[in-house]
Amino acid sequence: MKHSRTLYLHLLCFAILFSCAEKEQPSGELGKVSITALTLAAAPPMTNAKINTDYTWEHELEESLSLQFTHSITSESYFLQINPNDFGSPYEISLPYGSYQISGETPVSSPSPTLPLKIDSQVQVNSRSTPLVLEGETDFGLATFSGSRIQDIEVLVESERTEVPEKDGIFYSYLQQGELAKIEIKLVNGKIFHQLVNPEAFTQYHYDIISSEESSTAVISESFELKNYTYPLSATGLPSFLAPAKRFALPESSTESSGLAFIQGRLFTINDSGNSNEILEINPDNGELIRKVKVQNVENVDWEDLAQSPTHLFIGDFGNNSGNRKDLAVHKIAISDLLNAETVLAETIPFNFSDQTDFTSAPNQTAFDCESMVYRENKLYLFTKNWLTGGSSIYMLKDQPEVQEAALLGTLEVQGLLTGADVDAMGNLVLLGYEQSGLQSSSLLWIIAKADLANLTLSGGKKLLLGSPAILSQTEGVVFVSEKELYISGEKISIGPATVPGLVHILDLRGYIGE
């Protein structure tokens, strides 16, 4: 009797298992899959931004998307054509019961007037009717532009020029992740400037260009992360704010980047106080460390900027936060050695400021801190970081390795603390710094076209705000990498519990320097 009961239980379990298996995969039966909607895979949760939104962006999609359903066991494929813009009625396909891989892709081009999509998902068909919401992926971001002062916009990607379409008064373009786009904006006043965008997937970059009497327009996409910028037009007819595009993160070896040099297509940086006496060469396209060049015969007391002549690189060892240094110096290194050797020797230009008589330590309360330097016609021009006034004094040194007194040439009311400088072959000068406004601070850039460095004033110069250090990192180094393009480096900083890594951004000065 006991054996009979055991046999009965085994047969019952087998029957139940067989019945379940049959229910999951009934042989030869068809099930109808009804596609009711399309969502985007990386849609972030909405924030309070939507409450104040003037316009909610609806993505432009290709009108035709071919979906392929591939059976996981038989590998048979079935196809369905849908319009991802229109789900007024579900799209239906009848399939044999089983598990399917769904794939599909719209045409990919960058820039694009529509959002390229990729479908890569699964569906289990095991009943007469299966509702399905498709999930789309993309590696594209979105740039949108609003404002009545815009006449037209074109985008340049790898020298290809494409007109940017407009919808409801908003110019827009879908851009592939990691592909630096140069967007040319022509205003109704005839002015032209460039906005660089290095897009990330599922991210919207919105630029609102307004005059002084206009208010900003908020535009948001429910499925993309929003990065919003307001560009007020200044008296020059150009925006007084311009957001650089992120180029790359700096390697760990240069997270305290304090100066940049661009020599024969190669990018160099240095770290400031507390770091080694090394010049770092990094890849100008992705920021990877290529090599380290040790300067054998000098220490890094507080290296703060780089400048270059046709034959030499100059390192400014003149960081002086407390104003008490008596060992200020500029180190001079042959470029031929820098490009070809792992260790180099420097000649040194020791100096003092001609008008400094008091060397009492006053941390962050001195007029004799210095972080900026340029070379021009056998002379070095130094720009101080005046903690007391937010201005800058200009000093001049000869480029010869001898003890010198830096001659005071004048002062500039730069309205911030200067941290870097560069000058191009045409004499166009840029001065980088940041405001002293606490959490409201912005990095800033002064642009002086064809500057007379010996008699420098800010008359005719243009001041640009670049954005918060919480986004850019603490901007310290600047260098021309082409006729009108700058690289701007920032060192790693901590803001509250958050850490902003050292970054390099790129900025295009078309319109601000020449035409």
Side-chain angles (χ1 to χ4, degrees), residues 152-347:
D152 59 57
I153 297 179
E154 293 183 325
V155 59
L156 295 83
V157 175
E158 296 182 351
S159 301
E160 293 280 334
R161 183 181 290 267
T162 307
E163 187 174 347
V164 172
E166 180 185 1
K167 180 177 75 170
D168 296 338
I170 298 170
F171 293 86
Y172 71 95
S173 185
Y174 291 98
L175 304 167
Q176 192 157 29
Q177 177 172 278
E179 189 170 60
L180 185 68
K182 181 181 295 185
I183 299 174
E184 184 174 279
I185 303 159
K186 184 175 182 180
L187 303 176
V188 293
N189 61 14
K191 300 285 186 177
I192 295 175
F193 70 97
H194 282 172
Q195 176 64 54
L196 299 182
V197 183
N198 192 0
E200 296 177 3
F202 290 100
T203 304
Q204 178 186 355
Y205 305 80
H206 180 65
Y207 308 88
D208 190 33
I209 302 166
I210 60 174
S211 63
S212 57
E213 65 271 13
E214 292 177 308
S215 58
S216 181
T217 300
V219 175
I220 191 168
S221 166
E222 292 190 11
S223 55
F224 275 30
E225 178 186 353
L226 177 66
K227 295 186 178 181
N228 189 69
Y229 306 94
T230 299
Y231 282 13
L233 297 180
S234 69
T236 66
L238 289 166
S240 57
F241 179 96
L242 199 61
K246 179 182 172 182
R247 197 71 176 100
F248 49 75
L250 287 163
E252 280 300 314
S253 56
S254 59
T255 55
E256 295 188 23
S257 171
S258 60
L260 294 174
F262 193 67
I263 302 171
Q264 298 179 27
R266 296 162 68 173
L267 185 64
F268 297 88
T269 189
I270 51 173
N271 290 311
D272 57 17
S273 60
N275 289 282
S276 62
N277 52 331
E278 293 175 317
I279 304 165
L280 308 177
E281 182 177 357
I282 58 177
N283 188 313
D285 296 321
N286 58 28
E288 292 179 357
L289 178 67
I290 295 175
R291 65 192 185 104
K292 299 179 179 180
V293 181
K294 185 173 183 179
V295 187
Q296 280 187 300
N297 59 330
V298 297
E299 294 182 7
N300 180 351
V301 180
D302 195 355
W303 292 2
E304 287 291 355
D305 205 6
L306 297 173
Q308 64 197 71
S309 73
T311 57
H312 288 83
L313 177 73
F314 298 88
I315 303 173
D317 191 348
F318 40 47
N320 191 20
N321 285 344
S322 297
N324 61 346
R325 283 187 63 181
K326 295 184 178 180
D327 59 350
L328 302 175
V330 175
H331 304 303
K332 180 179 181 180
I333 298 163
I335 285 177
S336 57
D337 293 341
L338 172 69
L339 297 181
N340 298 295
E342 299 301 317
T343 59
V344 296
L345 296 175
E347 299 177 290

Side-chain angles (χ1 to χ4, degrees), residues 88-110:
S89 300
Y91 296 93
E92 297 178 340
I93 184 171
S94 294
L95 300 170
Y97 279 23
S99 178
Y100 290 85
Q101 184 72 31
I102 310 173
S103 59
E105 190 171 353
T106 57
V108 175
S109 64
S110 183

Side-chain angles (χ1 to χ4, degrees), residues 4 29 62 90 108 115 137 160 169 213 329 395 398 486:
S4 298
E29 293 199 52
E62 284 285 331
V108 175
L115 175 62
E137 298 178 352
E160 293 280 334
E213 65 271 13
Y395 294 86
K398 295 178 291 183
L486 302 175

Side-chain angles (χ1 to χ4, degrees), residues 13-28:
C13 290
F14 179 80
I16 292 171
L17 289 172
F18 183 81
S19 173
C20 290
E22 280 289 296
K23 193 169 185 179
E24 288 178 3
Q25 295 238 5
S27 176

